[in-house]
Amino acid sequence: MRFKIFLRSFFIQTLWNFQTMQALGFLFVIKPFLDFLYKDDERKKAYLRHMRFFNTHPYFASFIVGITMRKEEEYKEKREEKILKEIENWKLNVAGPLAALGDSLIWSGLRPFIGVISVFLFFLIEDKKEYLFLVPLLFFIFYNAVHIFVRFKGIFKGYELKERIFEYLERLRLKEIGRYMRLFGVVFSFLLFLYLYFSPPIKIFSFINFVLFVILIYLARKLSVEVIFYLLVIAGYLIGIFT
Amino acid sequence: MEILLISLIVGFISIDTIKVGQFMFSRPIIVGSIVGWILGDFYTGLKIGVILELFWIRVIPVGTYYPPDTVITTALAITLTLYFPGANIPESFCIILSLMVSIPFGIIYKSFQIRERKMASRYNTLLSDSINKGDFNFINKLVFISVGREFMFSFLAFIISFKLIFLFFSSVQKYLFYFIENPFMVKGAKEAFELLPLIGITQLIDSFIKKR
């Protein structure tokens, strides 16, 4: 059953909408478990309970799915209304911190980090065309190794540990890992900059590029990346005229 | 036939952007490799994919934010580069021009996707009505409809945009050649092309500075 739920967790964002965000996706993920626990009117109530607003990081949502499964089981055994309240509170209260953790570890850490390493690898082996297939392959494998691990562990550990899930996540020091990935991502981007624009022999263009580098860092927070692209094309043409 | 195949692949990969999995098939680096490989030029596909990967390195659809459509933009840019009408055109010129044309399409499709998300709110009413009537499997149909819509939208968006741009390029071909034969235009495109990785590098460094 838990493996089935894990497979369905890949659909948590399918029914995303501005009203209840991931709630319908959450219901779709946990549906087989609710069908297994409840029948008829109870099933109807359970479905409607899980249609209330819910939103978190899509990968880390698995932890909440795991916890909810365990709590629903408890409710089925004990029939205490306070357990239903607990489920609702947990879903609301845990979603925020898990979203923050997922954003910092995956969206701002892992993905740009693996992205920049893959790009660097491309420029390093650009001349050896027979090995270039490694670039997208490594990007895909390394990213998804972490992605699938988080989703899988989320369901199982959430179910096993319930409220103690934060102690478990704390022990994994995920925030620190995210911070290091961001830091290394920036180090690699700077190395990529040096590799692309300051490889010997250093020419006058390298210094023009350095000035552009500083200007673009300033513009990065003022303008969208698409506008910067068109400005950079104009800059390229201007460099073409004056050099 | 190749364009039809690319459109189908764009349709499938677009599902990964938000709807199913988020395995990052939809990232330019992967889209670029696949489209380039199908069109018989893996290297150029990957090269454009790498440039766009850096370009949108910190962009991801999170919560209510929806970025420009990376799948359609990347696939369009590569297909246009490789199908560019006329021979002996410098590669950097083709890539710059294709990117300049493709990026606005990515932005236009982003607004369609946001509209689709707004419309998806009606799923809540539909679903609660069906549950109240005792139809517990209606949610499966909704998932199927939602994925199917995404697929069809991206499939059609790609094929229509490609045909439109290609027709436009073909009709202004002789004016394009005027630009291409101008050494200043070629040199400018080469300079602009070499500067492109700077965008992603500075975006990433800025995001780190901001976090701190």
Side-chain angles (χ1 to χ4, degrees):
Chain A
M1 177 65 82
R2 272 182 275 174
F3 190 73
K4 196 173 178 184
I5 303 275
F6 158 70
L7 292 179
R8 288 172 84 100
S9 75
F10 292 103
F11 290 81
I12 195 151
Q13 300 237 97
T14 311
L15 299 173
W16 199 100
N17 62 80
F18 283 103
Q19 199 182 319
T20 54
M21 296 200 172
Q22 288 171 341
L24 304 190
F26 188 92
L27 173 60
F28 178 76
V29 174
I30 208 165
K31 182 183 179 297
F33 196 71
L34 297 179
D35 290 347
F36 169 73
L37 286 182
Y38 306 113
K39 293 280 167 279
D40 306 323
D41 213 38
E42 262 192 332
R43 178 149 74 141
K44 192 186 283 182
K45 279 182 189 159
Y47 271 49
L48 294 173
R49 258 198 336 258
H50 288 291
M51 278 182 67
R52 288 171 202 154
F53 179 89
F54 175 73
N55 198 42
T56 188
H57 189 278
Y59 303 172
F60 280 83
S62 294
F63 286 95
I64 304 180
V65 172
I67 297 167
T68 308
M69 284 163 68
R70 184 70 181 268
K71 292 261 181 196
E72 286 285 354
E73 240 175 26
E74 273 180 26
Y75 173 71
K76 167 97 178 169
E77 278 167 27
K78 297 177 185 165
R79 301 284 170 188
E80 290 170 4
E81 282 299 311
K82 70 168 192 182
I83 299 176
L84 292 183
K85 264 268 167 260
E86 270 175 30
I87 295 174
E88 203 178 327
N89 289 341
W90 257 91
K91 277 176 73 180
L92 278 177
N93 298 336
V94 174
L98 280 182
L101 184 61
D103 285 352
S104 123
L105 182 75
I106 309 282
W107 297 154
S108 336
L110 180 73
R111 213 196 46 69
F113 173 70
I114 293 187
V116 80
I117 298 252
S118 310
V119 171
F120 204 164
L121 182 68
F122 170 80
F123 285 111
L124 280 177
I125 62 168
E126 200 180 353
D127 299 329
K128 295 170 186 142
K129 292 203 168 61
E130 67 272 24
Y131 297 116
L132 280 178
F133 72 94
L134 287 173
V135 175
L137 196 68
L138 291 178
F139 173 89
F140 185 75
I141 291 173
F142 281 116
Y143 180 84
N144 283 301
V146 179
H147 162 206
I148 292 169
F149 176 80
V150 170
R151 285 208 198 250
F152 189 81
K153 272 279 172 192
I155 305 278
F156 286 81
K157 284 286 171 188
Y159 183 85
E160 187 190 317
L161 298 172
K162 291 193 297 179
E163 288 91 341
R164 287 180 290 122
I165 197 68
F166 277 104
E167 290 167 30
Y168 169 74
L169 291 171
E170 196 88 10
R171 274 204 309 277
L172 295 177
R173 301 167 82 179
L174 298 177
K175 270 197 171 164
E176 255 175 76
I177 295 172
R179 206 165 36 238
Y180 280 120
M181 276 196 284
R182 272 201 306 282
L183 180 66
F184 282 117
V186 172
V187 171
F188 274 105
S189 1
F190 195 70
L191 288 175
L192 180 62
F193 170 68
L194 294 179
Y195 179 77
L196 290 178
Y197 301 106
F198 278 87
S199 294
I202 294 171
K203 296 173 284 188
I204 183 75
F205 295 119
S206 310
F207 294 102
I208 296 174
N209 289 333
F210 188 75
V211 174
L212 273 173
F213 173 75
V214 176
I215 294 172
L216 285 180
I217 288 186
Y218 172 75
L219 287 180
R221 30 185 90 179
K222 305 272 176 198
L223 301 170
S224 77
V225 69
E226 294 80 23
V227 175
I228 293 175
F229 164 74
Y230 288 102
L231 289 177
L232 206 68
V233 171
I234 296 169
Y237 275 97
L238 289 176
I239 293 173
I241 297 173
F242 293 112
T243 55
Chain B
M1 198 60 200
E2 266 179 341
I3 297 302
L4 195 67
L5 183 62
I6 302 284
S7 311
L8 284 171
I9 286 167
V10 165
F12 275 117
I13 294 179
S14 293
I15 294 167
D16 175 74
T17 311
I18 290 184
K19 303 269 178 183
V20 184
Q22 292 195 300
F23 292 102
M24 298 297 137
F25 279 118
S26 51
R27 290 308 296 179
I29 201 164
I30 306 280
V31 179
S33 317
I34 297 173
V35 174
W37 178 67
I38 290 170
L39 294 177
D41 192 344
F42 177 76
Y43 172 70
T44 306
L46 181 59
K47 195 171 180 176
I48 297 175
V50 160
I51 288 166
L52 286 172
E53 182 62 46
L54 261 183
F55 193 75
W56 280 311
I57 193 109
R58 65 177 184 181
V59 163
I60 199 96
V62 182
T64 52
Y65 172 69
Y66 203 103
D69 197 313
T70 53
V71 181
I72 292 180
T73 310
T74 313
L76 266 181
I78 295 163
T79 321
L80 287 170
T81 303
L82 297 176
Y83 269 77
F84 213 83
N88 302 324
I89 305 168
E91 194 195 38
S92 51
F93 183 86
C94 291
I95 295 179
I96 288 285
L97 194 61
S98 303
L99 285 174
M100 285 175 79
V101 177
S102 310
I103 289 170
F105 279 88
I107 297 169
I108 293 168
Y109 293 134
K110 159 191 175 168
S111 60
F112 280 110
Q113 304 279 20
I114 293 171
R115 196 170 299 170
E116 201 271 335
R117 281 183 139 193
K118 280 181 187 158
M119 277 167 61
S121 292
R122 72 201 157 117
Y123 291 157
N124 290 289
T125 326
L126 289 172
L127 189 61
S128 53
D129 285 350
S130 69
I131 291 168
N132 282 321
K133 282 178 197 158
D135 181 1
F136 297 107
N137 289 322
F138 185 68
I139 193 166
N140 297 345
K141 282 182 208 156
L142 279 183
V143 165
F144 185 75
I145 292 167
S146 176
V147 172
R149 277 171 69 116
E150 180 75 26
F151 170 80
M152 278 312 286
F153 172 79
S154 303
F155 169 78
L156 291 173
F158 175 80
I159 206 156
I160 293 169
S161 326
F162 177 77
K163 288 286 174 199
L164 280 177
I165 300 169
F166 196 73
L167 270 177
F168 174 74
F169 273 178
S170 304
S171 58
V172 296
Q173 202 172 358
K174 62 178 178 189
Y175 303 106
L176 270 179
F177 278 113
Y178 166 75
F179 283 108
I180 293 160
E181 282 159 11
N182 187 333
F184 148 70
M185 293 305 286
V186 174
K187 195 175 176 212
K190 192 171 168 287
E191 290 298 336
F193 180 71
E194 280 176 12
L195 289 176
L196 287 183
L198 261 184
I199 302 179
I201 292 170
T202 51
Q203 290 282 319
L204 207 60
I205 291 174
D206 175 66
S207 69
F208 180 72
I209 297 168
K210 216 184 274 179
K211 279 265 175 192
R212 281 179 77 86

